[in-house]
Amino acid sequence: MSNLFLIGYRCTGKTTIGRLVAQRLQWQIEDADDALEKTSGRSIKAIFAADGEPHFRDLEVETIGRLSQLDQHVISLGGGAVLRAENRAAIQPHRSVWLQASIETIWRRMTGDASNDARRPPLTDHDDYQEIEQLLALREPLYRQCADFSVDTDGKTPDEIADEIVRLIDGAPAA
């Protein structure tokens, strides 16, 4: 296994869990959204506002392509990364874990996270709860297609989730 990708909707814990899994594996951690912002010199919200979602997704493809070339990294992806076929192809040779949570949990985490509004642009014209419902319906088949494993994060601590992921990938044959 050369890398481990964490996929899933916003606020399912990809960045937090990624750090913990990387520590346990003694690997490096990369957050694709952070890498994209660093490379572009702009926030995701600013990219969306100035250039729109299609341009952001183009930058995301470049970022994920570059990150997929690393070795022994845990890579946390943005929630919509699976929308592009190029990203799904970049993930495929590596292990991937889909972090899942209920709509209620995602909504509660999103509304309780002050940094959410500052960093993450709205993706539909609906309120947060309806947006989650709509986008999960669209993305879940893609998460399922990409994932080697899925882990439900509801009611678990970050440490419990990280331990579960390490157990899953330690017991699995090499990709």
Side-chain angles (χ1 to χ4, degrees), residues 2-5 7 60-70 75 77 81-82 84-96 145-146:
S2 57
N3 292 308
L4 174 67
F5 283 88
I7 61 174
E60 188 175 53
V61 166
E62 292 172 18
T63 301
I64 293 170
R66 188 174 66 253
L67 294 176
S68 71
Q69 300 304 308
L70 299 172
I75 302 168
L77 298 183
V82 297
R84 290 280 184 99
E86 300 96 327
N87 293 336
R88 296 191 303 272
I91 295 167
Q92 192 277 328
H94 306 274
R95 290 279 171 75
S96 61
Q145 175 188 338
C146 291

Side-chain angles (χ1 to χ4, degrees), residues 108-156:
R108 189 174 59 254
R109 290 174 183 168
M110 281 177 66
T111 56
D113 180 1
S115 69
N116 185 53
D117 285 340
R119 183 167 190 194
R120 298 177 177 111
L123 300 174
T124 68
D125 293 333
H126 301 298
D127 68 28
D128 287 340
Y129 196 90
Q130 290 175 317
E131 179 176 285
I132 296 165
E133 287 180 315
Q134 180 182 356
L135 293 179
L136 273 178
L138 172 73
R139 294 175 182 179
E140 280 185 348
L142 299 172
Y143 293 141
R144 192 171 288 109
Q145 175 188 338
C146 291
D148 294 305
F149 306 100
S150 64
V151 173
D152 184 349
T153 65
D154 281 337
K156 297 176 186 170

Side-chain angles (χ1 to χ4, degrees), residues 2-3 8 24 38 48 52 62 65-66 107 118 138 147 164 167 171:
S2 57
N3 292 308
R24 284 161 172 73
K38 184 177 181 180
F48 265 77
E62 292 172 18
R66 188 174 66 253
W107 180 78
L138 172 73
E164 184 175 345
R167 279 193 306 274

